[in-house]
């Protein structure tokens, strides 16, 4: 699954505003100032919510989330009362509000309320112009389509945010486990007595690399500490395994410690 980014909403906002602006000449608003006010309120609500989307998924909604969502709902009703084309902004408002309130159930409720209010505003315009009897099937169909669309987008974004959160937690757990394993290994080798040797089959650099491996560092970490490339670290490890007759990094570390190859270098790295 592709990881969710808050910038996707920015792109959706730009596309939505562009589509609305392109269709305005064919459906001009009854009052331009009403549409401008609606747009300003809409953007205010969006900017209030945006910083929250870049934070952890599991954050509990706070007052600013509900205020920002309410502003977007109000803006939609105001905008649609000026021109039905403003209903295109529901494609942005629905998933934004959905994820501001965090849960699927509350997101569905907020979206449904917003869409019903927008439909009511459009229906009131048709009623005032005497065309409601002709327009209501189109209005109903459009709002059903928008609800289904927003449900799909909201669900996908919600799932992507949860995946990113769970992935972050998993990485934290793996790093903690790696640190615990390195600490346990250090206690193990400190409690054992290595066999001293006078002639090591490993070069000085290979011994440095293996010593860092024994402390739980990854190839990338070792490369950073020794100012070499990860590919060079990998080559050193291949040579170390071949010289010691080991098949894994852990086996190589245990063999090197048992033979006394790391007793001097571990204190120097």
């Amino acid at each position: 699954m592709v990881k969710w980014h808050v910038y996707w909403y920015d792109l959706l906002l730009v596309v939505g505003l562009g589509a609305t602006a392109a269709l305005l000449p064919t459906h001009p608003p009854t009052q331009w100032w009403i549409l401008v006010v609606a747009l300003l309120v809409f953007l205010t609500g969006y900017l209030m919510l945006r910083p929250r989307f870049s934070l952890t998924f599991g954050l509990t909604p706070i007052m600013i989330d509900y205020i920002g969502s309410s502003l977007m709902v109000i803006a939609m009703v105001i905008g649609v009362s000026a021109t039905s084309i403003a209903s295109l902004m529901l494609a942005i408002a629905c998933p934004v509000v959905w994820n501001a309130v965090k849960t699927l159930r509350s997101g569905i409720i907020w979206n449904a309320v917003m869409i019903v209010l927008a439909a009511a505003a459009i229906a009131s315009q048709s009623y005032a112009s005497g065309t409601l009897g002709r327009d209501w099937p189109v209005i109903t169909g459009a709002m059903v389509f928008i609800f289904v669309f927003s449900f799909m987008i909201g669900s996908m974004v919600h799932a992507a945010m949860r995946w990113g959160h769970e992935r972050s937690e998993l990485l934290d757990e793996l790093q903690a486990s790696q640190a615990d394993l390195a600490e346990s290994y250090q206690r193990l080798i400190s409690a054992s007595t290595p066999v001293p040797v006078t002639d090591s089959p490993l070069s000085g650099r290979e011994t440095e690399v293996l010593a860092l491996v024994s402390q739980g560092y990854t190839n990338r970490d070792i490369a950073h500490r020794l100012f070499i490339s990860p590919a060079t670290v990998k080559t050193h490890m291949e040579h170390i395994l071949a010289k010691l007759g080991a098949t894994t990094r852990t086996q190589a570390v245990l063999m090197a410690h048992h033979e006394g190859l790391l007793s001097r270098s571990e204190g120097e790295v």
Side-chain angles (χ1 to χ4, degrees):
M1 181 182 292
V2 179
K3 187 175 180 180
W4 178 85
H5 292 284
V6 68
Y7 307 110
W8 293 4
Y9 276 145
D10 296 335
L11 178 60
L12 185 61
L13 178 66
V14 171
V15 172
L17 291 176
T20 302
L23 294 174
L24 278 178
T26 59
H27 296 77
T30 54
Q31 296 288 336
W32 279 95
W33 69 269
I34 295 179
L35 184 60
V36 172
V37 170
L39 179 60
L40 291 177
V41 175
F42 187 90
L43 291 176
T44 300
Y46 178 81
L47 293 176
M48 291 177 65
L49 297 176
R50 188 183 186 280
R52 296 279 291 170
F53 293 148
S54 60
L55 301 177
T56 305
F57 172 82
L59 287 178
T60 302
I62 59 177
M63 186 59 64
I64 194 172
D65 296 320
Y66 295 112
I67 294 175
S69 298
S70 299
L71 288 178
M72 296 190 76
V73 173
I74 294 171
M76 285 305 310
V77 176
I78 295 175
V80 171
S81 66
T83 174
S84 60
I85 293 301
S87 62
L88 291 176
M89 301 303 290
L90 282 169
I92 305 170
C94 285
V96 168
V97 171
W98 183 301
N99 288 288
V101 297
K102 294 297 187 287
T103 63
L104 294 176
R105 180 179 178 182
S106 57
I108 293 173
I109 294 174
W110 276 77
N111 281 11
V113 170
M114 181 161 39
I115 292 171
V116 168
L117 290 176
I122 295 175
S124 65
Q125 293 178 12
S126 296
Y127 178 79
S129 61
T131 60
L132 181 59
R134 182 190 64 192
D135 295 340
W136 75 264
V138 177
I139 296 174
T140 303
M143 292 306 157
V144 169
F145 173 79
I146 291 175
F147 182 79
V148 172
F149 175 79
S150 68
F151 181 85
M152 294 174 58
I153 296 297
S155 298
M156 288 189 293
V157 175
H158 189 87
M161 291 177 68
R162 181 175 293 279
W163 175 83
H165 175 62
E166 293 176 350
R167 176 178 177 273
S168 177
E169 287 186 336
L170 178 60
L171 290 176
D172 290 342
E173 291 177 1
L174 289 175
Q175 291 175 355
S177 299
Q178 184 182 37
D180 292 341
L181 181 61
E183 183 179 354
S184 299
Y185 172 74
Q186 290 297 323
R187 289 198 299 266
L188 175 64
I189 62 176
S190 63
S192 61
T193 303
V195 178
V197 297
T198 57
D199 186 20
S200 172
L202 305 179
S203 67
R205 179 62 83 183
E206 291 168 350
T207 303
E208 288 179 320
V209 170
L210 191 58
L212 290 172
V213 170
S214 71
Q215 297 174 40
Y217 290 102
T218 64
N219 284 4
R220 186 178 297 276
D221 295 331
I222 295 172
H224 179 72
R225 289 176 65 91
L226 298 182
F227 303 101
I228 57 180
S229 68
T232 302
V233 175
K234 182 179 179 181
T235 299
H236 284 313
M237 280 306 307
E238 292 174 351
H239 293 165
I240 291 170
L241 295 176
K243 290 181 179 180
L244 297 181
T247 56
T248 65
R249 295 159 64 99
T250 301
Q251 184 182 15
V253 170
L254 293 175
M255 292 175 64
H257 177 72
H258 179 72
E259 296 176 8
L261 304 180
L262 297 180
S263 58
R264 294 167 297 181
S265 61
E266 287 178 329
E268 298 171 357
V269 176

